[in-house]
Amino acid sequence: MTTYDFRLSVEIARVHLFSKPKQTIVAMLGVTFGIGMFIALVSLMTGLNDFTEDITMTSSPDIHIYQEETAMRPSILEAVNPRALNYVHHQKPKNETQKIRNARQIAKLINADPRVTGSSPQVSSQVFYNYGPVQLNGTILGVDILDEDKLFDLRSKMRKGRIEELLSNHNGLIMGKGLAKKLNIDLGNRVVVTTPQGNTLTLKVVGIFQMGIGVIDNVRSYANIATVQAILQEDQSFITDINVKLKDRQLAKKTAAEWQSKFTYKAEDWETANSTFLTGVIIRNIITYAVSFTLLIVAGFGIYNILNMTIYNKMKDIAILKAMGFAGSDVKNIFMVQSLVIGLVGSVAGLVIGYTLSLLISKAPFDGGDIISLDHFPVNFDPKYYVIGVVFGVTTTAVAGYMPSRKASKIDPIEILRGQ
Amino acid sequence: MDILKTESINKYFYDPEKFQVLKSIDLTVKKGEFMSLVGKSGCGKSTLMYVLSTMDTDYEGNLEIAGEKLTGKTQNELAAFRNAHIGFVFQFHYLLPEFSVLQNVMIPALKLNRFSRAEIEARAMEKLKILGIAEHARKQSSKLSGGQQQRVAIARALINDPDIIMGDEPTGNLDSYNTQLVFDIFKELTHHYQQTIIAVTHDDEFARKSDHRVEMSDGRIVKD
């Protein structure tokens, strides 16, 4: 088969397509709708995924080192009867300290690691916030606020006040926006903080931050390390957590495992810590691709039907073409070209529709409520998905067109020409 | 000069049961001859013509056209051979409805690709002129009358200057006026242009006036 023969097939295909414009357009619309919806869906879903991943990442460290509470521990019986089957019912947790020993040295070692951008040792505790009659449960983090800023870009998340206020104000507190709202607290107000051990301290609110995610904004506040150590009545070496930011986030899993065995404290990477979020991402992806795939298959069946009908109507034409010397492959090309043109033009139109829909969605107001701070739908305009859309569309139409085209190439002209 | 030659062609139908349609057909057709193939319906005359046309390859024996042995060639080789050497006229015109008259005539020549497009167009116009329908060249083929369409089909059969034109009841769907017209065209093509024509027909008058009348019965040639 020469390129000349192919050009002739293309010419005939072109006449076929233009002689029945309505049918051609209906076939194209099937693909256009499929691809358009695919683009709109994928843009919205990946936009949402990126958005959630983004806020999760900005609010959780790449690696979090802390003392894990051990629920089960080897009982003394094991030492006495090492070869026996021992079982202790209702074992109570041991009174363990949350303290990371030699935390400063560990932090120093971590900072020396070339993979690390920065680390922030801190003291965390469950507390009650009391303001007037209101009493709310939450957490307090004792941090070096400048280190914490390096890790989470806290400065950009401040809604009121500045982070430096904490340095100059020993008993200062930077509070999550949701928490402040619930307590009805504003800058300069004093709030009483009570630890589970019953110690209390009055702190002054010097700043209000918003991470954009409810689980943090509604419970957390930052204070100086020394302040939190004082409430807990612990000494200066008392550190409960070390947060680490890496240069390459993808190395977190490997690095965490390495550190866990090295420092003997629990080192948790961001993927494990946010597995619920990441599961959501995976499920959303599955749904997106399943729906898009279905749409495209439906479009494919549409093309298959239309091409089958065209070929049925063109039996006589095919027979005479073959009698006059067109080879089976020429006939196949005539119909393959038609389906590919339908696929390509339909897909490109689909991209335009998809882009328009995405643009409309990205402008639609959406209230994220208390959970996430969001006023518009996040939409992803990554060109990657547009390429996938075209490839998907053309492939589906090629497959849908191939079967009828092959049937056309196999038509026996004698049966049709002498039938009457 | 013999343009077409067969040696003891046998053919069987297997459905619903084995049945011999063609029984050792030996046939020679000379160049410039207007041959008609007649016989009762079911005698195998159409079947023979489709074997001669190379479209039917399921037979025993030998077929030779223009000195080339065609038995045993592949479908694609035979398609290319038909394109260059055989023109077809059927009972129905089988013009492609989306194309103009001129385009319909040009298609086999475009496929053959022996001349440039401009030359092909000039040649197609020339053939249409011979058949007296040049003024309809730019019309959609479906807009013509039955007789005109059949003449376009003949022009299409002529476009590659084939060695043989094969007709399966070429006048079967025409009124007496157009039948006469087509017959006269065939006559002129053979006498004036040395065109070989093989036509299957059940029109006795048509057959009687042809140069060479071959009658078939029960799969055999009974009168040559």
Side-chain angles (χ1 to χ4, degrees), chain A residues 109 138 151 181 232 236 333 399:
Chain A
L109 280 173
L151 259 61
K181 197 178 151 197
L232 295 172
Q236 279 196 3
N333 283 336
V399 172

Side-chain angles (χ1 to χ4, degrees), chain B:
Chain B
M1 193 185 104
D2 293 346
I3 199 90
L4 180 145
K5 216 165 90 188
T6 68
E7 279 168 23
S8 56
I9 284 188
N10 289 300
K11 180 175 169 64
Y12 301 89
F13 282 158
Y14 297 96
D15 203 29
E17 56 194 40
K18 190 168 173 179
F19 167 70
Q20 190 168 8
V21 247
L22 298 178
K23 295 166 185 164
S24 67
I25 302 280
D26 291 303
L27 187 69
T28 45
V29 182
K30 292 194 168 52
K31 184 162 173 55
E33 194 173 58
F34 181 2
M35 191 194 95
S36 59
L37 203 53
V38 294
K40 293 207 176 71
S41 75
C43 70
K45 58 186 193 298
S46 280
T47 307
L48 176 60
M49 202 215 72
Y50 283 101
V51 169
L52 299 182
S53 78
T54 77
M55 280 194 269
D56 190 346
T57 52
D58 183 22
Y59 61 86
E60 296 162 1
N62 271 319
L63 171 65
E64 207 176 88
I65 295 179
E68 196 169 338
K69 184 172 181 283
L70 297 171
T71 308
K73 282 191 186 291
T74 67
Q75 287 293 346
N76 281 352
E77 287 168 340
L78 290 173
F81 182 86
R82 285 198 297 274
N83 186 222
H85 298 278
I86 304 177
F88 287 100
V89 182
F90 298 96
Q91 183 176 0
F92 302 98
H93 56 81
Y94 292 120
L95 298 175
L96 306 183
E98 298 92 350
F99 292 81
S100 74
V101 166
L102 187 63
Q103 284 171 323
N104 262 290
V105 177
M106 286 167 69
I107 283 173
L110 291 171
K111 174 65 189 164
L112 186 62
N113 195 21
R114 193 182 288 157
F115 299 104
S116 74
R117 188 169 280 255
E119 281 173 295
I120 290 171
E121 195 171 325
R123 288 168 60 85
M125 280 309 290
E126 190 190 310
K127 304 290 180 200
L128 287 172
K129 241 173 243 159
I130 294 173
L131 292 155
I133 37 171
E135 73 268 26
H136 301 299
R138 303 286 167 189
K139 284 188 189 166
Q140 199 83 1
S141 63
S142 53
K143 299 281 193 297
L144 269 56
S145 74
Q148 289 167 331
Q149 285 174 327
Q150 194 64 321
R151 278 187 274 163
V152 176
I154 296 170
R156 181 177 63 184
L158 287 169
I159 187 71
N160 286 341
D161 297 328
D163 291 313
I164 307 177
I165 287 187
M166 295 202 184
D168 184 8
E169 305 274 7
T171 59
N173 203 33
L174 297 177
D175 56 24
S176 57
Y177 169 76
N178 278 306
T179 302
Q180 188 58 43
L181 202 68
V182 167
F183 183 80
D184 290 344
I185 291 165
F186 279 5
K187 204 81 183 174
E188 192 193 333
L189 288 172
T190 47
H191 291 172
H192 204 266
Y193 298 92
Q194 287 292 300
Q195 179 67 59
T196 315
I197 297 175
I198 301 175
V200 168
T201 183
H202 60 250
D203 183 341
D204 277 334
E205 203 193 332
F206 184 100
R208 219 176 311 126
K209 288 193 285 187
S210 65
D211 301 339
H212 181 185
R213 180 172 174 277
V214 174
E215 193 177 326
M216 282 184 72
S217 178
D218 284 337
R220 282 181 215 282
I221 293 176
V222 290
K223 209 185 281 173
D224 198 340

Side-chain angles (χ1 to χ4, degrees), chain A residues 342-364:
Chain A
I342 288 172
L344 198 65
V345 177
S347 303
V348 171
L351 296 192
V352 176
I353 300 279
Y355 179 77
T356 316
L357 275 176
S358 308
L359 213 61
L360 287 177
I361 293 171
S362 71
K363 300 265 186 279

Side-chain angles (χ1 to χ4, degrees), chain A residues 42-59:
Chain A
V42 150
S43 301
L44 178 60
M45 289 300 189
T46 54
L48 272 173
N49 284 349
D50 289 356
F51 177 80
T52 45
E53 194 176 310
D54 232 46
I55 49 176
T56 329
M57 282 318 129
T58 50
S59 56

